[in-house]
Coordinates of all heavy atoms in Angstrom, one line a residue:
M1 N 9.7 -9.8 13.7 CA 8.5 -9.0 13.8 C 7.4 -9.6 12.7 O 7.8 -9.7 11.6 CB 8.7 -7.6 13.6 CG 7.5 -6.6 13.6 SD 7.9 -5.0 13.5 CE 7.0 -4.5 12.0
N2 N 6.2 -9.7 13.0 CA 5.2 -10.0 12.1 C 4.6 -8.7 11.6 O 3.9 -8.0 12.4 CB 4.2 -10.9 12.9 CG 3.0 -11.3 12.0 OD1 2.9 -10.8 10.9 ND2 2.2 -12.2 12.4
P3 N 4.7 -8.4 10.3 CA 4.1 -7.2 9.8 C 2.7 -6.9 9.9 O 2.2 -6.0 9.9 CB 4.5 -7.2 8.3 CG 5.5 -8.2 8.2 CD 5.3 -9.3 9.3
T4 N 1.9 -8.2 10.1 CA 0.5 -8.0 10.3 C 0.1 -7.6 11.8 O -0.9 -7.3 12.1 CB -0.3 -9.3 10.0 OG1 0.2 -10.3 10.7 CG2 0.0 -9.5 8.4
S5 N 1.1 -7.8 12.7 CA 0.9 -7.3 14.2 C 0.8 -5.9 14.2 O 1.6 -5.1 13.6 CB 1.9 -7.9 15.0 OG 2.0 -9.3 14.9
R6 N -0.2 -5.4 15.1 CA -0.3 -4.0 15.3 C 0.4 -3.6 16.7 O 0.2 -4.4 17.6 CB -1.7 -3.6 15.3 CG -2.4 -3.9 14.0 CD -1.8 -3.1 12.8 NE -2.6 -3.2 11.6 CZ -2.1 -3.7 10.6 NH1 -0.9 -4.1 10.4 NH2 -2.9 -4.0 9.5
G7 N 1.0 -2.5 16.8 CA 1.5 -2.0 18.1 C 2.8 -2.7 18.5 O 3.3 -2.3 19.6
E8 N 3.4 -3.4 17.6 CA 4.7 -4.1 18.0 C 5.8 -3.5 17.2 O 5.6 -3.1 16.1 CB 4.7 -5.6 17.8 CG 3.7 -6.3 18.6 CD 3.7 -7.9 18.3 OE1 4.7 -8.3 17.7 OE2 2.7 -8.5 18.6
S9 N 7.0 -3.4 17.8 CA 8.1 -2.8 17.0 C 9.3 -3.7 17.3 O 9.5 -4.4 18.4 CB 8.4 -1.4 17.3 OG 8.8 -1.3 18.6
D10 N 10.2 -3.8 16.3 CA 11.4 -4.7 16.6 C 12.6 -3.9 16.0 O 12.6 -3.8 14.7 CB 11.2 -6.0 15.8 CG 12.5 -6.9 15.8 OD1 13.5 -6.4 16.4 OD2 12.3 -8.0 15.4
P11 N 13.4 -3.3 16.7 CA 14.5 -2.5 16.2 C 15.4 -3.3 15.2 O 16.2 -2.7 14.5 CB 15.3 -2.0 17.4 CG 14.7 -2.8 18.5 CD 13.5 -3.5 18.1
S12 N 15.4 -4.6 15.4 CA 16.3 -5.3 14.4 C 15.7 -5.7 13.1 O 16.2 -6.4 12.3 CB 16.8 -6.6 15.2 OG 15.7 -7.5 15.3
A13 N 14.3 -5.3 12.9 CA 13.7 -5.6 11.7 C 14.4 -4.9 10.5 O 14.8 -3.8 10.6 CB 12.2 -5.3 11.7
N14 N 14.5 -5.5 9.3 CA 14.9 -5.0 8.1 C 13.7 -4.5 7.4 O 12.8 -5.1 6.8 CB 15.6 -6.2 7.3 CG 16.1 -5.6 6.0 OD1 16.2 -4.5 5.8 ND2 16.4 -6.6 5.1
I15 N 13.7 -3.1 7.3 CA 12.5 -2.4 6.8 C 13.1 -1.7 5.5 O 14.1 -1.0 5.6 CB 11.9 -1.4 7.7 CG1 11.4 -2.1 8.9 CG2 10.8 -0.6 7.1 CD1 11.0 -1.2 10.1
R16 N 12.3 -1.8 4.4 CA 12.8 -1.2 3.2 C 11.6 -0.8 2.3 O 10.4 -1.4 2.6 CB 13.8 -2.0 2.4 CG 13.2 -3.3 1.8 CD 14.2 -4.2 1.1 NE 13.6 -5.5 0.7 CZ 13.1 -5.7 -0.5 NH1 13.1 -4.8 -1.3 NH2 12.6 -6.9 -0.7
L17 N 11.7 0.1 1.4 CA 10.7 0.6 0.4 C 11.2 0.0 -0.9 O 12.3 0.0 -1.2 CB 10.7 2.1 0.4 CG 10.1 2.6 1.8 CD1 10.1 4.2 1.5 CD2 8.8 2.2 2.3
R18 N 10.3 -0.4 -1.7 CA 10.5 -0.8 -3.2 C 9.2 -0.4 -3.9 O 8.3 -0.1 -3.4 CB 10.8 -2.3 -3.2 CG 9.7 -3.2 -2.7 CD 9.9 -4.6 -3.3 NE 9.0 -5.5 -2.7 CZ 7.7 -5.7 -3.1 NH1 7.1 -4.9 -4.0 NH2 6.9 -6.7 -2.5
D19 N 9.4 -0.5 -5.2 CA 8.2 -0.3 -6.2 C 7.1 -1.3 -5.8 O 7.5 -2.5 -5.6 CB 8.7 -0.4 -7.6 CG 9.6 0.7 -8.0 OD1 9.6 1.8 -7.3 OD2 10.3 0.6 -9.0
V20 N 5.9 -0.9 -6.0 CA 4.8 -1.9 -5.9 C 4.8 -2.7 -7.2 O 4.9 -2.2 -8.2 CB 3.5 -1.1 -5.7 CG1 2.3 -2.0 -5.8 CG2 3.5 -0.3 -4.4
E21 N 4.5 -4.0 -6.9 CA 4.4 -4.9 -8.1 C 3.0 -5.5 -8.1 O 2.3 -5.5 -7.1 CB 5.5 -6.1 -7.8 CG 6.8 -5.7 -7.7 CD 7.9 -6.7 -7.2 OE1 7.3 -7.8 -6.7 OE2 9.1 -6.4 -7.1
R22 N 2.6 -5.9 -9.3 CA 1.3 -6.5 -9.5 C 1.0 -7.6 -8.5 O -0.1 -7.8 -8.1 CB 1.0 -6.9 -10.9 CG 1.0 -5.8 -11.8 CD 0.4 -6.1 -13.2 NE 0.4 -5.0 -14.0 CZ -0.4 -3.9 -14.0 NH1 -1.4 -3.9 -13.2 NH2 -0.3 -2.9 -14.9
D23 N 2.1 -8.4 -8.2 CA 1.9 -9.6 -7.4 C 1.5 -9.1 -5.9 O 1.0 -9.8 -5.0 CB 3.1 -10.4 -7.2 CG 3.3 -11.2 -8.4 OD1 2.3 -11.4 -9.3 OD2 4.4 -11.8 -8.8
D24 N 1.8 -7.8 -5.5 CA 1.4 -7.3 -4.2 C -0.1 -6.9 -4.1 O -0.5 -6.8 -3.0 CB 2.3 -5.9 -4.0 CG 3.7 -6.1 -4.0 OD1 4.2 -7.2 -3.6 OD2 4.4 -5.1 -4.4
L25 N -0.7 -6.9 -5.1 CA -2.1 -6.3 -5.1 C -3.1 -7.1 -4.3 O -3.9 -6.6 -3.5 CB -2.7 -6.0 -6.5 CG -1.9 -4.9 -7.3 CD1 -2.5 -4.6 -8.7 CD2 -1.8 -3.7 -6.5
P26 N -3.0 -8.5 -4.3 CA -3.9 -9.3 -3.5 C -3.8 -9.0 -2.0 O -4.7 -8.8 -1.3 CB -3.7 -10.7 -3.8 CG -3.1 -10.6 -5.3 CD -2.3 -9.4 -5.3
R27 N -2.5 -8.8 -1.6 CA -2.2 -8.5 -0.2 C -2.7 -7.2 0.1 O -3.3 -6.8 1.2 CB -0.7 -8.8 0.1 CG -0.3 -8.4 1.4 CD -0.7 -9.3 2.6 NE -0.4 -9.0 3.9 CZ 0.6 -9.5 4.5 NH1 1.4 -10.4 3.9 NH2 0.9 -9.1 5.7
L28 N -2.4 -6.2 -0.7 CA -2.8 -4.7 -0.4 C -4.3 -4.6 -0.4 O -4.9 -3.9 0.4 CB -2.2 -3.8 -1.4 CG -0.7 -3.7 -1.4 CD1 -0.2 -2.8 -2.6 CD2 -0.2 -3.2 0.0
Y29 N -5.0 -5.4 -1.3 CA -6.5 -5.5 -1.2 C -7.0 -6.0 0.1 O -7.9 -5.3 0.7 CB -7.0 -6.2 -2.4 CG -8.6 -6.4 -2.4 CD1 -9.4 -5.3 -2.7 CD2 -9.2 -7.6 -1.8 CE1 -10.7 -5.5 -2.7 CE2 -10.5 -7.6 -1.7 CZ -11.3 -6.5 -2.2 OH -12.7 -6.6 -2.1
E30 N -6.4 -7.0 0.5 CA -6.9 -7.6 1.9 C -6.5 -6.6 3.0 O -7.4 -6.4 3.9 CB -6.2 -8.9 2.1 CG -6.6 -10.0 1.4 CD -8.1 -10.4 1.4 OE1 -8.7 -10.3 2.5 OE2 -8.7 -10.6 0.4
N31 N -5.4 -5.8 2.9 CA -5.1 -4.9 3.9 C -6.1 -3.8 4.0 O -6.5 -3.3 5.1 CB -3.7 -4.2 3.7 CG -2.6 -5.2 4.1 OD1 -2.7 -6.3 4.5 ND2 -1.3 -4.7 3.6
Q32 N -6.5 -3.3 3.0 CA -7.4 -2.2 2.8 C -8.9 -2.5 3.3 O -9.7 -1.7 3.5 CB -7.5 -1.5 1.4 CG -8.0 -2.3 0.3 CD -9.5 -2.1 0.0 OE1 -10.0 -1.0 0.0 NE2 -10.2 -3.1 -0.3
L33 N -9.1 -3.8 3.5 CA -10.5 -4.2 4.0 C -10.5 -4.3 5.6 O -11.6 -4.4 6.1 CB -10.7 -5.6 3.5 CG -11.0 -5.8 2.1 CD1 -11.1 -7.3 1.8 CD2 -12.1 -5.0 1.5
E34 N -9.4 -4.0 6.3 CA -9.4 -4.2 7.7 C -10.1 -3.1 8.3 O -9.9 -1.8 8.2 CB -7.9 -4.1 8.1 CG -7.7 -4.2 9.6 CD -6.2 -4.3 10.0 OE1 -5.4 -5.0 9.5 OE2 -6.0 -3.5 10.8
P35 N -11.2 -3.4 9.1 CA -12.2 -2.4 9.7 C -11.3 -1.4 10.6 O -11.6 -0.2 10.6 CB -13.1 -3.3 10.4 CG -13.1 -4.6 9.9 CD -11.6 -4.8 9.3
Q36 N -10.5 -1.9 11.5 CA -9.8 -0.9 12.4 C -8.9 0.1 11.7 O -8.9 1.3 12.1 CB -9.0 -1.7 13.4 CG -9.7 -2.5 14.4 CD -8.8 -3.3 15.4 OE1 -7.8 -3.9 14.9 NE2 -9.1 -3.4 16.7
A37 N -8.3 -0.3 10.6 CA -7.5 0.6 9.8 C -8.4 1.6 9.2 O -8.0 2.8 9.1 CB -6.6 -0.1 8.8
N38 N -9.5 1.2 8.6 CA -10.4 2.2 8.1 C -11.0 3.2 9.0 O -11.3 4.3 8.8 CB -11.5 1.4 7.2 CG -11.0 0.7 6.0 OD1 -10.7 1.5 5.1 ND2 -11.0 -0.5 5.9
Q39 N -11.3 2.6 10.2 CA -11.8 3.5 11.2 C -10.8 4.5 11.6 O -11.2 5.7 11.7 CB -12.2 2.7 12.5 CG -12.9 3.4 13.5 CD -13.4 2.7 14.8 OE1 -13.0 1.6 14.9 NE2 -14.1 3.3 15.6
M40 N -9.6 4.2 11.9 CA -8.5 5.1 12.2 C -8.3 6.1 11.0 O -8.0 7.3 11.4 CB -7.1 4.5 12.5 CG -7.1 3.7 13.7 SD -5.5 3.1 14.3 CE -4.7 2.7 12.8
A41 N -8.3 5.6 9.9 CA -8.0 6.6 8.8 C -9.2 7.2 8.3 O -9.1 8.2 7.3 CB -7.3 5.9 7.6
A42 N -10.4 7.0 8.9 CA -11.6 7.6 8.4 C -11.8 7.4 6.9 O -12.1 8.3 6.1 CB -11.8 9.1 8.7
T43 N -11.6 6.1 6.5 CA -11.8 5.7 5.0 C -12.7 4.6 4.9 O -13.1 4.0 5.9 CB -10.4 5.4 4.5 OG1 -9.8 4.3 5.2 CG2 -9.5 6.5 4.4
H44 N -13.1 4.3 3.7 CA -14.0 3.2 3.4 C -13.3 2.2 2.4 O -12.5 2.7 1.5 CB -15.3 3.6 2.8 CG -16.0 4.5 3.7 ND1 -16.8 4.1 4.7 CD2 -16.2 5.9 3.6 CE1 -17.3 5.1 5.3 NE2 -17.0 6.2 4.7
P45 N -13.3 0.9 2.6 CA -12.6 0.1 1.7 C -13.2 0.1 0.3 O -14.4 0.4 0.1 CB -12.9 -1.3 2.3 CG -14.1 -1.2 3.2 CD -14.1 0.2 3.7
R46 N -12.5 -0.1 -0.6 CA -12.9 -0.2 -2.1 C -13.5 -1.5 -2.4 O -13.0 -2.6 -1.8 CB -11.8 0.1 -3.1 CG -11.4 1.6 -3.0 CD -10.3 1.9 -4.1 NE -10.1 3.3 -4.3 CZ -9.2 4.0 -3.7 NH1 -8.5 3.5 -2.7 NH2 -9.1 5.3 -3.9
T47 N -14.4 -1.7 -3.3 CA -14.7 -3.0 -3.9 C -13.5 -3.5 -4.7 O -12.6 -2.7 -5.0 CB -16.0 -2.8 -4.8 OG1 -15.7 -2.0 -5.9 CG2 -17.2 -2.3 -4.0
A48 N -13.7 -4.7 -4.9 CA -12.5 -5.4 -5.7 C -12.4 -4.7 -7.1 O -11.3 -4.4 -7.5 CB -12.8 -6.9 -5.9
S49 N -13.5 -4.3 -7.8 CA -13.3 -3.7 -9.1 C -12.9 -2.4 -9.0 O -11.9 -1.9 -9.8 CB -14.7 -3.8 -9.9 OG -15.6 -3.2 -9.2
A50 N -13.3 -1.6 -7.9 CA -12.8 -0.2 -7.7 C -11.3 -0.2 -7.3 O -10.5 0.6 -7.7 CB -13.6 0.5 -6.7
F51 N -10.9 -1.2 -6.5 CA -9.5 -1.3 -6.0 C -8.7 -1.6 -7.2 O -7.6 -1.0 -7.5 CB -9.4 -2.5 -5.1 CG -8.0 -2.7 -4.6 CD1 -7.4 -2.1 -3.6 CD2 -7.3 -3.8 -5.3 CE1 -6.2 -2.3 -3.1 CE2 -5.8 -3.9 -4.9 CZ -5.4 -3.2 -3.7
D52 N -9.1 -2.6 -8.2 CA -8.3 -2.8 -9.4 C -8.1 -1.6 -10.2 O -7.0 -1.4 -10.8 CB -9.0 -4.0 -10.1 CG -8.8 -5.4 -9.4 OD1 -8.0 -5.5 -8.5 OD2 -9.6 -6.3 -9.8
A53 N -9.2 -1.0 -10.5 CA -9.1 0.3 -11.3 C -8.2 1.4 -10.7 O -7.4 1.9 -11.4 CB -10.6 0.8 -11.5
H54 N -8.3 1.5 -9.5 CA -7.5 2.5 -8.7 C -6.0 2.1 -8.9 O -5.2 2.9 -9.3 CB -8.0 2.5 -7.2 CG -7.1 3.3 -6.3 ND1 -7.1 4.7 -6.4 CD2 -6.1 3.0 -5.6 CE1 -6.2 5.3 -5.4 NE2 -5.6 4.2 -5.0
W55 N -5.6 0.9 -8.7 CA -4.2 0.5 -8.8 C -3.7 0.4 -10.2 O -2.6 0.5 -10.4 CB -4.1 -0.9 -8.0 CG -3.8 -0.5 -6.5 CD1 -4.8 -0.5 -5.5 CD2 -2.5 -0.1 -6.0 NE1 -4.1 -0.2 -4.4 CE2 -2.7 0.2 -4.6 CE3 -1.3 0.2 -6.4 CZ2 -1.8 0.6 -3.7 CZ3 -0.4 0.5 -5.6 CH2 -0.6 0.8 -4.3
E56 N -4.7 0.1 -11.1 CA -4.2 0.1 -12.6 C -3.7 1.5 -12.8 O -2.7 1.6 -13.6 CB -5.4 -0.4 -13.4 CG -5.0 -0.5 -14.9 CD -4.0 -1.6 -15.1 OE1 -3.9 -2.6 -14.5 OE2 -3.0 -1.4 -16.0
S57 N -4.5 2.5 -12.5 CA -4.1 3.9 -12.7 C -2.7 4.2 -12.0 O -1.9 4.8 -12.6 CB -5.1 4.8 -12.2 OG -4.8 6.2 -12.3
I58 N -2.5 3.8 -10.8 CA -1.4 4.1 -9.9 C -0.2 3.4 -10.7 O 0.7 4.0 -10.9 CB -1.5 3.6 -8.6 CG1 -2.5 4.4 -7.7 CG2 -0.2 3.5 -7.9 CD1 -2.9 3.9 -6.4
L59 N -0.3 2.1 -11.1 CA 0.9 1.4 -11.6 C 1.2 2.0 -12.9 O 2.3 2.0 -13.3 CB 0.5 -0.1 -11.6 CG 0.5 -0.9 -10.3 CD1 0.1 -2.2 -10.6 CD2 1.7 -0.7 -9.5
A60 N 0.2 2.5 -13.7 CA 0.5 3.1 -15.0 C 1.3 4.3 -14.9 O 2.0 4.7 -15.7 CB -0.8 3.3 -15.8
N61 N 1.0 5.0 -13.8 CA 1.6 6.3 -13.6 C 2.6 6.5 -12.4 O 2.8 7.6 -12.0 CB 0.6 7.4 -13.5 CG -0.3 7.4 -14.7 OD1 0.2 7.5 -15.8 ND2 -1.7 7.3 -14.5
S62 N 2.9 5.4 -11.8 CA 3.7 5.4 -10.6 C 5.2 6.0 -10.7 O 5.7 6.0 -11.9 CB 3.8 4.1 -9.9 OG 4.5 3.1 -10.7
N63 N 5.7 6.3 -9.7 CA 7.1 6.8 -9.6 C 7.4 7.9 -10.5 O 8.4 8.1 -11.0 CB 8.1 5.6 -9.8 CG 7.8 4.5 -8.9 OD1 7.6 4.7 -7.7 ND2 7.8 3.3 -9.4
D64 N 6.4 8.8 -10.6 CA 6.5 10.1 -11.1 C 6.9 10.1 -12.7 O 7.5 11.0 -13.2 CB 7.6 11.0 -10.4 CG 7.2 12.4 -10.6 OD1 6.1 12.9 -11.0 OD2 8.3 13.3 -10.4
V65 N 6.4 9.1 -13.4 CA 6.7 9.0 -14.8 C 6.2 10.2 -15.6 O 6.6 10.7 -16.6 CB 6.1 7.8 -15.5 CG1 7.0 7.2 -16.5 CG2 5.7 6.7 -14.5
L66 N 5.0 10.7 -15.1 CA 4.4 11.9 -15.8 C 4.8 13.2 -15.2 O 4.3 14.3 -15.5 CB 2.8 11.7 -15.6 CG 2.3 10.5 -16.2 CD1 0.7 10.5 -16.0 CD2 2.5 10.4 -17.6
G67 N 5.7 13.2 -14.1 CA 6.2 14.5 -13.6 C 5.1 15.1 -12.7 O 5.1 16.3 -12.4
T68 N 4.2 14.4 -12.2 CA 3.1 14.9 -11.4 C 3.5 14.9 -9.8 O 2.9 15.7 -9.1 CB 1.9 14.0 -11.4 OG1 2.2 12.6 -10.8 CG2 1.3 13.8 -12.8
G69 N 4.7 14.3 -9.5 CA 5.1 14.3 -8.1 C 4.5 13.1 -7.4 O 4.8 12.9 -6.2
D70 N 3.7 12.3 -8.0 CA 3.0 11.1 -7.3 C 4.0 10.0 -7.3 O 4.5 9.6 -8.2 CB 1.8 10.6 -8.1 CG 0.7 11.8 -8.2 OD1 0.9 12.7 -7.5 OD2 -0.3 11.6 -8.9
I71 N 4.2 9.4 -6.1 CA 5.1 8.3 -5.9 C 4.4 7.3 -4.9 O 3.7 7.7 -4.0 CB 6.5 8.8 -5.2 CG1 7.2 9.8 -6.2 CG2 7.3 7.6 -4.9 CD1 8.3 10.4 -5.6
V72 N 4.5 6.0 -5.3 CA 3.9 5.0 -4.4 C 5.0 3.9 -4.2 O 5.7 3.6 -5.2 CB 2.7 4.4 -4.8 CG1 2.8 3.7 -6.2 CG2 2.0 3.5 -3.9
K73 N 5.2 3.5 -2.9 CA 6.2 2.4 -2.6 C 5.5 1.3 -1.7 O 4.7 1.6 -0.9 CB 7.4 3.1 -1.9 CG 8.2 4.0 -2.7 CD 9.0 3.3 -3.9 CE 9.7 4.3 -4.7 NZ 10.4 3.6 -5.8
A74 N 6.1 0.2 -1.9 CA 5.6 -1.0 -1.0 C 6.5 -0.9 0.1 O 7.8 -0.6 0.0 CB 5.9 -2.4 -1.7
I75 N 6.0 -1.3 1.4 CA 6.7 -1.4 2.6 C 7.0 -2.8 2.8 O 6.1 -3.6 2.9 CB 5.9 -0.6 3.8 CG1 5.6 0.7 3.5 CG2 6.9 -0.9 5.1 CD1 4.6 1.4 4.5
V76 N 8.3 -3.2 2.9 CA 8.6 -4.5 3.2 C 9.4 -4.8 4.5 O 10.3 -4.0 4.7 CB 9.5 -5.1 2.0 CG1 9.9 -6.5 2.2 CG2 8.8 -5.0 0.6
V77 N 8.9 -5.6 5.3 CA 9.5 -5.9 6.6 C 10.0 -7.3 6.7 O 9.2 -8.2 6.5 CB 8.6 -5.6 7.8 CG1 9.3 -5.8 9.2 CG2 8.1 -4.2 7.8
D78 N 11.4 -7.4 6.8 CA 11.9 -8.8 6.9 C 11.5 -9.5 5.6 O 11.0 -10.8 5.8 CB 11.7 -9.5 8.2 CG 12.4 -8.9 9.4 OD1 13.6 -8.2 9.1 OD2 11.9 -9.0 10.5
D79 N 11.5 -9.0 4.5 CA 11.1 -9.7 3.3 C 9.6 -10.0 3.2 O 9.3 -10.9 2.3 CB 11.9 -10.9 3.0 CG 13.4 -10.5 2.7 OD1 13.7 -9.4 2.2 OD2 14.3 -11.2 3.3
V80 N 8.7 -9.4 3.9 CA 7.2 -9.7 3.9 C 6.6 -8.4 3.6 O 6.9 -7.3 4.3 CB 6.8 -10.3 5.2 CG1 5.2 -10.4 5.2 CG2 7.4 -11.6 5.5
L81 N 5.8 -8.3 2.6 CA 5.0 -7.2 2.3 C 4.1 -6.8 3.5 O 3.3 -7.5 4.0 CB 4.1 -7.3 1.1 CG 3.2 -6.1 0.6 CD1 4.0 -4.8 0.2 CD2 2.2 -6.5 -0.4
A82 N 4.3 -5.5 4.0 CA 3.5 -5.1 5.2 C 2.5 -3.9 4.8 O 1.5 -3.8 5.5 CB 4.5 -4.4 6.2
G83 N 2.7 -3.3 3.6 CA 1.7 -2.3 3.2 C 2.3 -1.4 2.1 O 3.3 -1.8 1.5
C84 N 1.7 -0.2 2.0 CA 2.4 0.8 1.0 C 2.3 2.1 1.5 O 1.4 2.5 2.4 CB 1.7 0.6 -0.3 SG -0.1 1.0 -0.3
V85 N 3.0 3.0 0.9 CA 2.9 4.4 1.3 C 2.9 5.2 -0.1 O 3.5 4.8 -1.0 CB 4.1 4.8 2.2 CG1 5.5 4.5 1.6 CG2 4.0 6.2 2.8
S86 N 2.2 6.3 0.0 CA 2.2 7.2 -1.2 C 2.4 8.6 -0.9 O 2.1 9.0 0.2 CB 0.9 6.9 -2.1 OG -0.2 7.2 -1.2
C87 N 2.8 9.3 -1.9 CA 3.0 10.8 -1.8 C 2.3 11.4 -3.1 O 2.7 10.9 -4.2 CB 4.4 11.1 -1.7 SG 4.8 13.0 -1.7
F88 N 1.4 12.2 -3.0 CA 0.8 12.8 -4.1 C 0.2 14.2 -3.9 O 0.2 14.7 -2.7 CB -0.5 12.0 -4.5 CG -1.5 11.7 -3.4 CD1 -2.5 12.7 -3.2 CD2 -1.4 10.7 -2.4 CE1 -3.4 12.5 -2.2 CE2 -2.1 10.5 -1.5 CZ -3.3 11.5 -1.3
K89 N 0.0 15.0 -4.9 CA -0.4 16.3 -4.9 C -1.8 16.4 -4.5 O -2.6 15.5 -5.0 CB -0.1 17.1 -6.1 CG 1.3 17.4 -6.4 CD 1.4 18.2 -7.7 CE 2.9 18.5 -7.9 NZ 3.0 19.2 -9.2
W90 N -2.3 17.3 -3.6 CA -3.7 17.4 -3.3 C -4.1 18.7 -3.7 O -3.6 19.8 -3.3 CB -3.9 17.2 -1.8 CG -5.2 17.2 -1.3 CD1 -6.0 18.3 -1.0 CD2 -6.1 16.1 -1.3 NE1 -7.2 17.9 -0.6 CE2 -7.4 16.5 -0.8 CE3 -5.9 14.7 -1.6 CZ2 -8.4 15.7 -0.7 CZ3 -7.0 14.0 -1.4 CH2 -8.3 14.4 -0.9
N91 N -5.1 18.9 -4.6 CA -5.5 20.2 -5.1 C -6.5 20.8 -4.2 O -7.4 20.3 -3.6 CB -6.2 20.0 -6.4 CG -5.2 19.5 -7.5 OD1 -4.0 19.8 -7.3 ND2 -5.7 19.0 -8.6

């Protein structure tokens, strides 16, 4: 399965979650620029500087180090970064 393909599934794919690494950020930046994904999620892509600041904060506080309940993980399919998922409190 090609993780960049939309609408395809492969039951034999090896899917796992892991901590987000700084080396993931260029790929995640490109992912968040995708127009169809932004339209579906009703979001707007961040500028490069806003993206960097956002992820700097996430990486500094990820995996609930501060006890906030915030967790972010990279989604890896067949050893290829496909995206990320997060869980956070909403006030």
Side-chain angles (χ1 to χ4, degrees):
M1 179 174 121
N2 178 350
T4 60
S5 299
R6 302 293 186 240
E8 295 180 20
S9 64
D10 178 356
S12 67
N14 178 16
I15 302 170
R16 64 186 175 91
L17 299 178
R18 63 161 170 76
D19 291 342
V20 174
E21 301 166 355
R22 290 195 186 280
D23 290 345
D24 297 332
L25 297 183
R27 175 72 182 261
L28 294 176
Y29 176 75
E30 291 300 319
N31 286 357
Q32 64 97 42
L33 293 176
E34 186 176 303
Q36 289 177 322
N38 283 297
Q39 184 178 10
M40 280 191 331
T43 59
H44 299 284
R46 289 182 166 90
T47 63
S49 59
F51 178 89
D52 290 343
H54 175 74
W55 275 97
E56 186 61 38
S57 172
I58 289 172
L59 292 175
N61 299 307
S62 67
N63 301 314
D64 203 22
V65 219
L66 300 178
T68 61
D70 299 351
I71 298 171
V72 62
K73 294 290 182 181
I75 304 167
V76 179
V77 179
D78 291 334
D79 296 322
V80 177
L81 177 66
C84 66
V85 62
S86 61
C87 177
F88 54 91
K89 290 182 181 180
W90 187 266
N91 294 333

